[in-house]
Amino acid sequence: MNLLQVFLISLLGYLSFRHVPFLGGGLLGWYCIGRPLVASLFIGIILGDIPNAIRLGVYVQLIFIGLVTPGGSITPDMTLATFIAVPLGVVAKLDSGATVALAVTVSALGQLMATPCNAATLLPVNYQKKLVDEGKLKAASLVPIWGNAVKFIFRFTPIFVCLYWGQDAVQSMMAIAPTWLIDIITIFGNPMCLIGFAILMKLLVKNPTDLIYFTVGFAFVSVLNADMITVLVFALLFALFEFKISRAGKEVLR
């Protein structure tokens, strides 16, 4: 990666950080571009390798597919993991397992950085409150703009440092690493995607019998080689039947 590519990826990582107002107040940034599957498309465009970037982005997305952030909970940092692990994976030609292992590590470090970042954000907020109390409303209205320098420091800087100085380190490490070590990383990295699915299924499955629908969908794809559109059509039919049966049962009870 050259300096311009690292800068663009780091800037995109900052713009997709939570509560950064420059991309629709987070609607386009955090909730769209910040998702691994979407972010990997832009990373692939910047690096000139869209297929490989999306392939790695899919695996990272699978880890966090069931991630929810209720209330003020601090969860593993999905966007930081994406904007560091996927570019490094593309440049160093890492496999899915190694990329996932790197993403999990980075997300945990990002989780540790969340508390000091949130604490530092209070500084411009308190200053804005002081300006409002003094009646300096125009100056107070500008605080959310320059106050995002805190977010910039905690998001742009680590991504830039890891990508610019980390790419050579990762490439060198992969070049000298023995085959057995790479195999271990791959073996432990690939099953991490199953954790994302397990979290998602825990949220969706209310009855053990609901697993039948997942089994049918899996059979369509793996046994019958059906595409996603076909699976979607049958899923809609199952959903319609389930809805009508449930509605009929409620009417009978009345």
Side-chain angles (χ1 to χ4, degrees):
M1 282 180 286
N2 56 44
L3 183 61
L4 178 60
Q5 290 174 322
V6 172
F7 175 81
L8 291 176
I9 294 174
S10 302
L11 181 61
L12 193 62
Y14 160 69
L15 293 175
S16 60
F17 194 23
R18 63 181 179 274
H19 304 148
V20 173
F22 304 114
L23 289 178
L27 184 62
L28 181 60
W30 174 254
Y31 290 106
C32 184
I33 299 177
R35 306 299 98 173
L37 187 57
V38 180
S40 61
L41 171 62
F42 292 94
I43 293 172
I45 293 173
I46 294 172
L47 296 180
D49 190 356
I50 296 177
N52 198 29
I54 291 181
R55 180 180 65 83
L56 296 178
V58 167
Y59 283 95
V60 176
Q61 178 69 74
L62 291 177
I63 306 173
F64 302 105
I65 196 170
L67 183 67
V68 292
T69 54
S73 63
I74 299 177
T75 57
D77 199 325
M78 173 176 58
T79 55
L80 186 67
T82 301
F83 284 100
I84 291 180
V86 172
L88 289 179
V90 172
V91 173
K93 301 189 183 304
L94 302 179
D95 60 15
S96 58
T99 303
V100 165
L102 179 60
V104 172
T105 304
V106 173
S107 68
L109 294 176
Q111 188 176 14
L112 295 177
M113 292 169 54
T115 299
C117 177
N118 294 336
T121 306
L122 294 176
L123 297 177
V125 171
N126 290 331
Y127 180 69
Q128 184 184 37
K129 182 179 182 297
K130 178 182 177 182
L131 292 175
V132 172
D133 293 338
E134 295 175 354
K136 301 177 181 179
L137 300 182
K138 185 175 181 180
S141 66
L142 298 176
V143 173
I145 298 177
W146 61 259
N148 264 277
V150 174
K151 300 281 186 180
F152 185 86
I153 293 172
F154 278 90
R155 182 54 45 141
F156 180 93
T157 305
I159 295 176
F160 187 91
V161 170
C162 289
L163 294 185
Y164 191 71
W165 282 282
Q167 55 181 323
D168 293 335
V170 172
Q171 288 175 327
S172 300
M173 183 178 65
M174 296 303 295
I176 64 175
T179 305
W180 61 266
L181 179 59
I182 304 299
D183 291 340
I184 289 176
I185 295 175
T186 302
I187 291 172
F188 282 96
N190 282 330
M192 294 300 296
C193 300
L194 298 177
I195 297 177
F197 268 111
I199 296 174
L200 181 63
M201 291 181 69
K202 185 178 180 180
L203 296 173
L204 296 179
V205 175
K206 305 302 180 184
N207 258 312
T209 54
D210 292 342
L211 292 172
I212 296 175
Y213 297 114
F214 290 95
T215 306
V216 172
F218 178 79
F220 269 115
V221 175
S222 62
V223 179
L224 302 178
N225 294 322
D227 54 35
M228 295 306 297
I229 300 298
T230 304
V231 175
L232 176 61
V233 171
F234 279 95
L236 291 174
L237 288 176
F238 282 128
L240 179 61
F241 290 149
E242 181 78 16
F243 174 75
K244 287 189 173 182
I245 292 173
S246 177
R247 187 175 180 181
K250 291 180 179 178
E251 291 179 353
V252 170
L253 292 176
R254 290 179 184 176

